[in-house]
Amino acid sequence: MNLPKPADFSFFLKLAVRWGDMDALGHVNNAKFFTYDESVRLEYFTKLMAGDTQFWSSYGLILAHIEADFIEQLKPPAELDIGFRIARFGRTSMRTEGCMFLGGKPVAVTRGVLVWFDYRAGQALALPDAVKSKIRALEKVPPEG
């Protein structure tokens, strides 16, 4: 498996692992990595779309798919550097990649599909060129598509 490196990402969120994230085996429960992905994803798009008063109210994103590869066990206390990027554009969707780094080493990789969505009409919308341009300007590794 070709693992992401910190240099692949231009957007990061620092996140302290909480003691309550542990499971009975003494490591972070696998479901928590999806919460970590959600935290960095929401922060990425909140900053990207700052100033757009319709974003998150009239239109925005819905999560259509998410998956994870768990690379290493993670035990509290720890502070993660979570990288997030858009890897590919579709007509109405984006493929995402997130990586949770501890000391520069990946502990988990998440991949998702986000759909650009009209919340009022309840349907997918074509991904706006203006949004693609903002993302391309931000990313170190240009998204495919």
Side-chain angles (χ1 to χ4, degrees), residues 5-120:
K5 302 173 288 308
D8 296 337
F9 299 92
S10 59
F11 189 85
F12 285 89
L13 177 68
K14 282 199 176 296
L15 193 136
V17 174
R18 301 169 305 189
W19 286 103
D21 293 348
M22 264 193 309
D23 62 17
L25 298 175
H27 60 231
V28 172
N29 183 280
N30 58 358
K32 293 297 180 182
F33 290 93
F34 296 110
T35 303
Y36 301 161
D37 179 89
E38 177 184 52
S39 294
V40 71
R41 176 177 6 107
L42 293 176
E43 190 70 20
Y44 178 100
F45 282 101
T46 296
K47 288 189 178 189
L48 184 79
M49 300 302 290
D52 184 338
T53 59
Q54 297 301 302
F55 189 71
W56 294 132
S57 61
S58 296
Y59 53 82
L61 302 162
I62 59 169
L63 181 65
H65 174 82
I66 192 159
E67 63 184 47
D69 290 320
F70 305 105
I71 313 303
E72 298 283 339
Q73 290 187 59
L74 179 61
K75 297 182 178 191
E79 185 173 76
L80 295 172
D81 289 308
I82 306 172
F84 185 84
R85 70 185 197 94
I86 303 302
R88 187 180 197 331
F89 295 126
R91 189 180 71 74
T92 62
S93 65
M94 295 174 261
R95 286 193 192 158
T96 67
E97 181 177 60
C99 190
M100 292 78 190
F101 295 99
L102 182 62
K105 295 181 182 178
V107 295
V109 179
T110 53
R111 288 173 213 83
V113 176
L114 301 173
V115 175
W116 194 258
F117 204 75
D118 181 326
Y119 298 137
R120 294 180 179 153

